[in-house]
Amino acid sequence: MKMILLGAPGAGKGTQAEILSKTLNIPTISTGNILRAAMKAGTPVGLQAKSYVEAGKLVPDEVIINIIRERLAEPDCANGYILDGVPRTIPQAEAMEALGIEIDTALSIEVEDSVIVERMGGRRTCRACGGTFHVVNNPPKVEGVCDFCGGELSIRKDDAPETVLARLETYHRETEPLKAFYEARGKLVCVDNQPGIEATTAVIRDALKI
């Protein structure tokens, strides 16, 4: 299955992508993780992306598409993949189609803006490995400490309320139109956010018939 996940920042795309990846035995390609790794390493693309991310703006299309094209050429993507965080705009979706990047399903997780702001205020990210947790929905075993590598957990600048509101405004303007784009191609599947990760997973599995 070749799938993209749609939804506002903080809708739970990354968490559900990890679960679906294990269920379907296909990799999750998260542009956020790729970009954060590049920013931490101080690579040219990382430095280029950093100024946009910290301002709550979208990283330019050419940077995103080049990263994705290289990643999908790797052997582990031969049997399918889950794209998390791309495409974010209709021009990106059109560019992906032009490059022959195929999508079977566009899964949209529907969440109210007010829920997003509250949820992202509780998100914690590991400074060392990029692992994400939530103080309510997915708390670490030890407060402030990453379960995966023992690194320090912190609130990312782009999870601060003022940045979240800017990102939501950008999402509604730039990314939400993708729902109509994929609906016109018969590929859109929408699910409502549920209270809790497991419940959301259950409605997704039902919608995808997996």
Side-chain angles (χ1 to χ4, degrees):
M1 181 179 288
K2 298 172 182 177
M3 181 193 313
I4 65 168
L5 292 181
L6 298 174
K13 298 186 297 297
T15 298
Q16 295 301 328
E18 287 181 21
I19 295 169
L20 286 168
S21 175
K22 292 174 184 175
T23 301
L24 299 169
N25 196 29
I26 55 177
T28 295
I29 313 301
S30 169
T31 51
N33 288 345
I34 294 170
L35 287 171
R36 278 192 288 276
M39 287 189 287
K40 183 178 179 182
T43 65
V45 70
L47 295 173
Q48 188 179 8
K50 188 174 183 179
S51 61
Y52 290 91
V53 172
E54 290 188 344
K57 297 179 180 178
L58 295 177
V59 177
D61 288 356
E62 61 270 19
V63 178
I64 296 294
I65 300 302
N66 284 333
I67 288 174
I68 292 301
R69 181 170 56 177
E70 290 178 1
R71 180 65 184 87
L72 295 185
E74 295 181 17
D76 64 336
C77 293
N79 294 321
Y81 44 79
I82 301 167
L83 293 176
D84 172 15
V86 68
R88 291 198 182 193
T89 64
I90 287 178
Q92 282 186 6
E94 291 172 340
M96 286 168 57
E97 284 189 344
L99 289 171
I101 298 174
E102 299 178 10
I103 298 298
D104 301 319
T105 302
L107 177 70
S108 179
I109 303 174
E110 307 291 315
V111 189
E112 295 289 335
D113 283 7
S114 58
V115 175
I116 293 291
V117 174
E118 181 179 354
R119 178 182 293 179
M120 292 185 75
R123 189 153 74 173
R124 302 292 183 268
T125 303
C126 178
R127 294 179 182 274
C129 75
T132 57
F133 301 85
H134 192 279
V135 294
V136 175
N137 296 329
N138 183 32
K141 293 173 184 175
V142 178
E143 184 177 350
V145 179
C146 177
D147 290 357
F148 307 118
C149 75
E152 179 187 356
L153 300 181
S154 64
I155 300 175
R156 285 167 41 207
K157 184 175 180 179
D158 52 342
D159 288 338
E162 61 274 16
T163 311
V164 172
L165 290 171
R167 293 173 70 197
L168 283 169
E169 182 181 346
T170 300
Y171 166 76
H172 290 305
R173 184 178 67 250
E174 302 283 353
T175 305
E176 202 162 28
L178 284 169
K179 288 161 63 176
F181 179 90
Y182 286 110
E183 186 174 30
R185 287 154 173 76
K187 297 180 178 181
L188 181 68
V189 175
C190 294
V191 295
D192 289 327
N193 177 64
Q194 305 294 313
I197 293 170
E198 293 82 4
T200 301
T201 300
V203 296
I204 289 173
R205 289 182 66 120
D206 185 58
L208 296 177
K209 298 178 174 59
I210 59 173

